[in-house]
């Protein structure tokens, strides 16, 4: 769920103590084996959850290669099964889900700047909205930075195999990137920061699904066995892949682990010829760099002598390997393998380091009390801590002290934070979204999954004359009675943050209403100022709040807002801070159990919508589905909302309700709905209104949704500006209490709707038709029928997007659906 003042954003780019450390002897041995391999694979698709986690697991763990998944988007346009977050906040969740998945399957993660604007039926539309050259530049940039030996696309670039337009586009861009990344004349502005790189081959990771049958023609395809059992991991790659795949919880992609043989297929798309192995003829040993044979031989010696009960015995050999790697001329592999060998040295010595702060939120310019801890738990030779520094903060503390085996060493300091520290915000959200893509000016950030740590520290360690750095974030550590130790990375925030209690504020008449602003201070303000930046015609009482804002406290401030008589829309900012400075920033926070808490300091604008809307449904029951914000929208319309559970349908809980609304995907996610079907129909028959929002066509708990049969399809209209025709203009639902016209379908967002029924009983009346350009009209967006004294409506309109976005026409039509037969 979204929460503005609890939780933090964990930014994962570097190995850190925030990650559950994989430092068992089995894992150390596995990573020493990977140290021998100098090979890179790039897997490309469009969204989080598109990746084949089986292939990533195989290449990362069986072939032991640097294996990266490039997801062109962060999944911002996807639906959310676990909460109400949408758009860029959905993208934040799915980014973290990918990072959690990569921790499991051993891969790495990258992104382009492409924005997931929702379902697209053609790659032509997708590439136009994304600005093809911009995202192609990102693909080329990632190829040049990661230097893959082979590229694998999840989808086919063949336009005859169209799926989601984003899917096909990811393959088209992957193939084009493969063809031009080695050309110095392509995107020459990247040179200097990255050098041209030509991968050896590119493949399409095909499967029976693309052919429609498991008995498909495998001529010309490479067959890859990915079902091996890895005793060091204690699982088959199918089991690992399932755990990784199941991290995509917001999309409902939990799967059962596979055991035994599992075949994958690769179709060559370009590059040198190959007969059996996708890495055929590619040197992925240390021999690919000058002098690498000696490094390979030394790693082999470390492996031969590895003692699982005493991994510290491998440190001397690893230090020697590190010294040899430092002399490698190839910068890419030198940096990659230095990072790997230093992490191995730390884990073989049982080193644990952390930087602790008593606060989670820090304000630029304040003093940060910090406690540093370090321990070496294995080894006869004791390491020396030379210094602790933060290059970002301009801080350095010289220590020059030997550690005592298995005894914690601690140092404390109070550090002055720079006044010019940037607030915590994911780098791709720091500037307003450009059409179809994120606006990222710093080229070095493009491709990275996350920002760097907010307040990082580097511990300089020394053993036998060799020095290396261990980099950690600053964290806050607390005890939870259920969870135990809770660790949160500190974040940088303004002295004052503020937000509206609602996502948008609807004024269905010229009458004023109270609007709440929630303010939190991270630094006390004696003359704190909070006011609304209102356009002409809008009035606020009081005009502003001025008073004491106490550090650590939340304050709810009420403003009575009077709208203009004329319909319209106003973007409203909160100005907060003190009399000399207005900051106008809010803090978004998101918490879900399976990912790290997230935060972003962003502008706090919302819309005030003035629209003449009448609503006759005074009390509305609501059955939760997969998560949406429709109950808040109902409250904006003036309805009182009662959340319903199974017992309410049997114990009189429907009494006094004017309507019942079912949340999105309720018939996919709520197991008890078949049990109450008879009660639902009795409610309608007795004069109530039921509105069922969209469900996906697969995984229904029952197909008996309405009083009469209907069949849900995958039909959808993705163009939010597509023309809408009113089929039944005299239908009472379109006449009152608000008269609906074509103008009410203007200004919609992302799409018209999805998963429309394509077959239905003749007793249903379709109210509208719509279609994407060049396609046949679809009439299943809103189906309604009388049943007894009441009305039943099934609708695939994307109300879960339109109402939170404050689309006035959508509010009017939804008010009519819940007000049916209640008078005008």
């Amino acid at each position: 769920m979204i929460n503005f003042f609890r939780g933090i954003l964990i930014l994962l780019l570097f190995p850190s103590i925030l990650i559950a450390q994989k430092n068992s002897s089995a894992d150390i041995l596995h990573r020493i084996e990977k140290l021998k391999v100098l090979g890179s694979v790039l897997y490309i698709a469009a969204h989080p959850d598109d990746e084949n986690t089986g292939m990533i697991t195989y290449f990362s763990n069986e072939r032991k290669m640097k294996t990266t998944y490039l997801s062109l988007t962060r999944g911002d346009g996807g639906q959310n099964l676990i909460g109400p977050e949408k758009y860029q906040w959905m993208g934040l969740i799915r980014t973290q889900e990918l990072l959690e998945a990569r921790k499991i399957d051993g891969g790495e993660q990258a992104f382009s700047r492409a924005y997931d604007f929702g379902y697209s039926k053609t790659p032509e539309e997708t590439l136009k909205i994304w600005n093809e050259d911009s995202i192609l530049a990102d693909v080329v940039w990632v190829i040049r930075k990661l230097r893959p030996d082979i590229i694998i696309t999840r989808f086919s670039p063949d336009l005859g195999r169209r799926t989601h337009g984003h899917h096909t586009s990811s393959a088209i861009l992957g193939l084009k990137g493969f063809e031009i990344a080695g050309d110095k004349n392509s995107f020459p502005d990247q040179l200097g920061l990255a050098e041209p790189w030509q991968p050896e081959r590119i493949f399409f990771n095909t499967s029976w699904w693309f052919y429609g049958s498991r008995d498909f023609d495998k001529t010309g395809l490479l067959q890859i066995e990915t079902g091996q059992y890895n005793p060091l991991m204690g699982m088959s790659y199918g089991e690992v892949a399932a755990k990784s795949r199941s991290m995509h919880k917001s999309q409902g992609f939990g799967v059962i682990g596979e055991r035994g043989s599992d075949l994958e297929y690769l179709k060559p798309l370009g590059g040198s010829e190959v007969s059996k192995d996708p890495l055929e003829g590619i040197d992925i040993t240390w021999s690919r760099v000058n002098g690498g044979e000696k490094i390979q031989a030394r790693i082999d010696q470390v492996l031969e002598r590895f003692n699982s009960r005493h991994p510290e015995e491998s440190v001397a050999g690893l230090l020697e390997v590190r010294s040899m790697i430092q002399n490698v001329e190839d910068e890419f592999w030198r940096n990659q393998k230095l990072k790997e060998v230093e992490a191995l040295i730390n884990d073989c010595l049982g080193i644990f380091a952390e930087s602790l702060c008593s606060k989670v939120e820090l304000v630029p310019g304040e003093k940060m009390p910090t406690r540093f801890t370090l321990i070496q738990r294995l080894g006869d030779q004791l390491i020396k801590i030379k210094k602790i520094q933060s290059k970002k903060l301009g801080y350095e503390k010289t220590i020059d002290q030997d550690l005592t085996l298995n005894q914690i060493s601690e140092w404390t300091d109070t550090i002055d934070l720079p006044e010019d520290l940037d607030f915590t915000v994911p780098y791709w959200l720091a500037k307003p979204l450009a059409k179809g893509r994120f606006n990222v000016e710093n080229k070095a950030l493009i491709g990275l999954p996350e920002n760097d740590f907010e307040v990082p520290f580097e511990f300089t360690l020394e053993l036998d004359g060799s020095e290396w750095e261990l980099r950690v974030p600053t964290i806050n550590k607390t005890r939870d009675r259920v969870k135990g130790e809770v660790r949160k990375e500190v974040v940088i925030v303004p002295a004052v943050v503020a937000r509206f209690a609602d996502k948008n504020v609807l004024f269905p008449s010229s009458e004023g209403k109270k609007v709440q602003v929630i303010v939190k201070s991270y630094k006390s303000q004696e003359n704190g100022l909070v006011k609304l930046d209102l356009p002409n015609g809008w009035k606020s009482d009081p005009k502003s709040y001025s008073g004491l804002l106490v550090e650590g406290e939340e304050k709810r401030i009420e403003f009575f807002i009077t709208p203009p008589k004329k319909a319209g829309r106003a973007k409203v900012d909160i100005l907060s801070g003190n009399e000399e400075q207005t900051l106008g920033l809010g803090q978004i926070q998101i918490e879900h159990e399976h990912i790290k808490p997230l935060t972003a300091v962003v502008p706090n604008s919302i819309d005030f919508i003035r629209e003449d809307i009448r609503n006759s449904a005074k009390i509305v029951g609501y059955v939760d589905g997969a998560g949406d914000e429709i109950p808040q929208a109902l409250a904006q319309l003036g309805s009182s909302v009662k959340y319903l559970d199974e017992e309410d349908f049997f114990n009189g809980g429907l009494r006094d309700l004017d309507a019942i609304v079912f949340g999105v995907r309720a018939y996919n996610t709520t197991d008890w709905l078949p049990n109450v079907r008879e009660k639902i129909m009795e409610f309608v028959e007795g004069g109530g209104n039921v509105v069922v929002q969209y469900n996906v066509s697969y995984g229904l708990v029952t197909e008996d949704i309405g009083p009469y049969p209907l069949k849900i399809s995958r039909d959808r209209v993705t163009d939010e500006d597509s023309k809408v025709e009113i089929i039944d203009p005299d239908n009472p639902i379109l006449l009152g209490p608000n008269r609906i016209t074509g103008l009410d379908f203007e200004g919609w967002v992302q799409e018209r709707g999805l998963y429309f029924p394509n077959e239905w009983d003749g007793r249903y009346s379709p109210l509208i038709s719509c279609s994407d350009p060049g396609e046949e009209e679809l009439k299943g967006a809103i189906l309604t029928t009388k049943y007894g004294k009441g009305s039943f409506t099934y609708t695939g309109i994307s109300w879960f997007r339109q109402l939170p976005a404050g689309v006035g026409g959508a509010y009017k039509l939804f008010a009519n659906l819940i007000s049916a037969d209640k008078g005008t």
Side-chain angles (χ1 to χ4, degrees), residues 29-43:
L29 179 59
H30 184 56
R31 286 157 53 203
I32 295 174
E33 291 176 346
K34 290 192 73 168
L35 192 61
K36 293 175 55 178
V37 178
L38 277 68
S40 177
V41 176
L42 180 62
Y43 199 96

Side-chain angles (χ1 to χ4, degrees), residues 114-180:
Y115 179 72
D116 179 1
F117 56 85
Y119 192 89
S120 174
K121 293 182 178 178
T122 70
E124 292 85 357
E125 177 195 44
T126 297
L127 294 173
K128 180 180 179 181
I129 291 175
W130 280 352
N131 186 332
E132 179 176 350
D133 280 350
S134 295
I135 307 307
L136 177 59
D138 292 356
V139 173
V140 170
W141 171 257
V142 170
I143 292 172
R144 288 171 172 174
K145 294 292 286 186
L146 299 181
R147 290 173 45 174
D149 296 296
I150 62 172
I151 295 175
I152 303 173
T153 68
R154 185 60 179 125
F155 302 99
S156 172
D158 182 357
L159 296 184
R161 292 181 180 271
R162 296 187 183 192
T163 57
H164 191 322
H166 297 181
H167 292 168
T168 305
S169 295
S170 70
I172 291 171
L173 293 173
L175 182 56
K176 286 185 177 181
F178 167 83
E179 294 169 343
I180 66 175

Side-chain angles (χ1 to χ4, degrees), residues 462-479:
E462 187 267 333
L463 179 61
D464 292 341
S466 295
E467 289 188 0
W468 69 96
E469 283 186 351
L470 174 57
R471 197 166 188 273
V472 301
T474 299
I475 66 165
N476 172 266
K477 184 163 62 176
T478 57
R479 170 186 172 271

Side-chain angles (χ1 to χ4, degrees), residues 729-765:
D730 295 325
N731 191 291
I733 286 179
L734 297 178
L735 296 177
N738 307 287
R739 187 173 185 85
I740 303 302
T741 70
L743 295 176
D744 293 308
F745 295 95
E746 296 180 359
W748 286 42
V749 298
Q750 183 155 325
E751 61 195 348
R752 291 295 186 193
L754 62 171
Y755 293 98
F756 296 165
N758 63 352
E759 297 178 20
W760 54 84
D761 187 280
R763 284 167 284 192
Y764 287 107
S765 296

Side-chain angles (χ1 to χ4, degrees), residues 585-805:
L585 292 173
Q587 184 183 8
I588 296 291
Q589 295 175 310
I590 302 172
E591 291 188 12
H592 291 289
E593 284 293 325
H594 67 300
I595 59 173
K596 304 298 182 181
L598 312 172
T599 196
V601 176
V602 293
N604 50 24
S605 301
I606 69 167
D607 287 334
F608 284 2
I609 304 103
R610 168 69 183 93
E611 188 84 34
D612 288 321
I613 303 175
R614 291 188 292 274
N615 171 32
S616 302
K618 301 305 180 185
I619 306 175
V620 178
Y622 197 79
V623 177
D624 272 327
D628 58 41
E629 297 166 292
I630 303 304
Q632 294 90 323
L634 290 168
Q636 295 272 17
L637 284 168
S639 296
S640 175
V641 179
K642 178 182 179 180
Y643 288 88
L644 303 177
D645 59 23
E646 183 175 4
E647 289 303 312
D648 288 315
F649 285 82
F650 294 99
N651 64 11
L654 309 187
R655 191 179 299 115
D656 299 327
L657 296 183
D658 295 310
I660 300 174
V661 176
F662 289 77
V664 297
R665 298 195 188 186
Y667 280 87
N668 297 118
T669 61
T670 308
D671 292 337
W672 51 263
L673 286 182
N675 305 338
V676 300
R677 170 177 166 73
E678 183 178 337
K679 296 297 181 180
I680 295 171
M681 294 303 113
E682 286 178 4
F683 174 78
V684 180
E685 196 170 19
N689 295 319
V690 165
V691 178
V692 177
Q693 297 182 79
Y694 95 94
N695 294 270
V696 298
S697 53
Y698 51 89
L700 292 167
V701 296
T702 177
E703 294 188 358
D704 293 326
I705 297 174
Y708 311 118
L710 58 81
K711 183 176 180 181
I712 301 170
S713 74
R714 296 180 64 86
D715 290 349
R716 64 203 303 161
V717 175
T718 64
D719 184 354
E720 63 270 24
D721 297 319
S722 62
K723 187 177 181 181
V724 174
E725 297 285 351
I726 295 178
I727 299 174
D728 187 6
D730 295 325
N731 191 291
I733 286 179
L734 297 178
L735 296 177
N738 307 287
R739 187 173 185 85
I740 303 302
T741 70
L743 295 176
D744 293 308
F745 295 95
E746 296 180 359
W748 286 42
V749 298
Q750 183 155 325
E751 61 195 348
R752 291 295 186 193
L754 62 171
Y755 293 98
F756 296 165
N758 63 352
E759 297 178 20
W760 54 84
D761 187 280
R763 284 167 284 192
Y764 287 107
S765 296
L767 297 185
I768 64 171
S769 68
C770 51
S771 65
D772 281 319
E775 297 188 2
E776 65 179 78
E777 287 188 331
L778 302 176
K779 298 182 179 181
I782 306 175
L783 301 177
T784 189
T785 184
K786 290 289 294 181
Y787 186 73
K789 297 179 181 179
S791 296
F792 175 91
T793 301
Y794 185 94
T795 172
I797 293 292
S798 58
W799 307 105
F800 70 102
R801 297 195 189 281
Q802 310 310 324
L803 300 185

Side-chain angles (χ1 to χ4, degrees), residues 11 65 132 204 226 332 404 409 455 485 517 525 576 698 809:
L11 302 175
M65 301 180 73
E132 179 176 350
F204 160 40
T226 63
F332 174 80
T404 301
S409 297
V455 183
E485 184 177 282
V517 173
Q525 307 277 313
S576 59
Y698 51 89

